[in-house]
Amino acid sequence: MSVFMIVAKNLRKQYGNLEVLKGVSLHIKKGEVVSIVGPSGAGKTTLLQLIGTLDKPTNHDYVLKINNTDLSRLNEKALSKFRNKEIGFIFQFHQLLPEFTALENVAIPAYIAGFSKIEADSKAAKLLEHLGLKDRLHHKPAKLSGGEQQRVAVARALVNNPSVIMADEPSGNLDTENARQLHQLFFDLRDRFNQTFVIVTHNEELAEMSDRKLLMRDGRLIE
Ligand code: ADP
């Protein structure tokens, strides 16, 4: 058993002749909030997509383990099941489904994981209440503020008690105050539930608050 929640070794990604990731390795412990920073085009999003299993490395001699599961050996079906249960995603734009309510958006990953509608709805409602959205359960995304939409996205990411939350510019679309509240929420979740976070961000304040800041440049991590 590894003490690390995420172990990645030698992740490489090539698009044609363009080598976007040149052999990236990282180790992240449970309960760590790690930010990945660096100039545009450095490969941050690509790295997050690989460790989030949304995309695969181009090489075969890599290691990727989350919570002691060797992800390089899983087929697509097993991988999507793993992803739904063990990884929560938060993006710059909330990516909530517009035709569903806040409650439904949060409950959907739990339905997919096999919970009954009653169980899933009850988990979703509890989370939304915990995140201060008790009065917004039945609102559709368009009726929510930017900050509220992003908190619904956080609840959705949390609903299956994932091993890790991966966030790509989560506060990139928020004003300073809402960004601050969102960042505070991440640290509250870490303190209360020992939740692990990997966050790609341009936000200096968030990067400075995190337990560890990984600097990426030209396809490599320079810690
Ligand atoms: P960052 O998140 O640090 O801004 P990205 O990971 O988005 O960087 O992109 C790194 C490099 O890879 C960029 O040069 C980008 O143009 C290129 N890239 C990303 N995705 C693709 C793709 N699907 N096809 C070709 N090139 C890509």
Side-chain angles (χ1 to χ4, degrees), residues 76-100:
E76 277 308 320
K77 193 172 167 211
L79 211 51
S80 50
K81 189 169 172 199
F82 180 90
R83 194 185 304 126
N84 180 59
K85 170 68 189 78
E86 300 294 341
I87 310 176
F89 292 96
I90 303 170
F91 301 98
Q92 177 169 1
F93 301 99
H94 55 77
Q95 302 201 351
L96 299 171
L97 300 170
E99 66 273 33
F100 292 98

Side-chain angles (χ1 to χ4, degrees), residues 151-192:
R151 273 184 286 150
V152 175
V154 173
R156 176 183 55 183
L158 284 167
V159 73
N160 287 330
N161 299 316
S163 294
V164 54
I165 289 191
M166 302 203 186
D168 196 347
E169 295 289 357
S171 47
N173 198 36
L174 298 178
D175 60 45
T176 312
E177 187 46 37
N178 277 300
R180 256 189 209 138
Q181 285 178 12
L182 184 72
H183 302 157
Q184 196 49 57
L185 175 60
F186 294 164
F187 289 92
D188 291 347
L189 292 167
R190 191 276 300 277
D191 294 343
R192 287 179 85 136

Side-chain angles (χ1 to χ4, degrees), residues 4-182:
F4 294 108
M5 180 56 88
I6 304 177
V7 175
K9 291 182 191 160
N10 194 32
L11 301 179
R12 293 174 184 272
K13 185 76 179 179
Q14 223 165 318
Y15 292 108
N17 289 329
L18 180 68
E19 212 183 352
V20 173
L21 293 184
K22 300 173 179 171
V24 172
S25 303
L26 51 79
H27 290 77
I28 293 172
K29 288 189 199 131
K30 183 168 170 59
E32 260 194 308
V33 179
V34 173
S35 61
I36 303 174
V37 301
S40 262
K44 304 180 298 295
T45 292
T46 305
L47 175 61
L48 199 72
Q49 301 250 329
L50 294 194
I51 57 181
T53 76
L54 294 171
D55 197 0
K56 287 199 168 201
T58 336
N59 59 326
H60 294 287
D61 55 342
Y62 70 92
V63 175
L64 181 59
K65 290 184 183 167
I66 297 183
N67 207 6
N68 292 302
T69 301
D70 181 352
L71 299 173
S72 66
R73 299 165 65 97
L74 298 187
N75 63 26
E76 277 308 320
K77 193 172 167 211
L79 211 51
S80 50
K81 189 169 172 199
F82 180 90
R83 194 185 304 126
N84 180 59
K85 170 68 189 78
E86 300 294 341
I87 310 176
F89 292 96
I90 303 170
F91 301 98
Q92 177 169 1
F93 301 99
H94 55 77
Q95 302 201 351
L96 299 171
L97 300 170
E99 66 273 33
F100 292 98
T101 64
L103 183 81
E104 289 164 336
N105 266 285
V106 175
I108 287 169
Y111 304 151
I112 294 171
F115 288 96
S116 70
K117 187 166 183 329
I118 290 177
E119 285 171 310
D121 287 356
S122 135
K123 277 166 174 288
K126 258 198 210 132
L127 269 170
L128 286 165
E129 284 171 27
H130 179 71
L131 300 188
L133 295 166
K134 193 174 191 288
D135 302 326
R136 298 285 183 276
L137 302 187
H138 305 295
H139 287 52
K140 291 188 177 169
K143 300 283 182 200
L144 300 172
S145 73
E148 289 172 337
Q149 289 168 347
Q150 217 45 339
R151 273 184 286 150
V152 175
V154 173
R156 176 183 55 183
L158 284 167
V159 73
N160 287 330
N161 299 316
S163 294
V164 54
I165 289 191
M166 302 203 186
D168 196 347
E169 295 289 357
S171 47
N173 198 36
L174 298 178
D175 60 45
T176 312
E177 187 46 37
N178 277 300
R180 256 189 209 138
Q181 285 178 12
L182 184 72

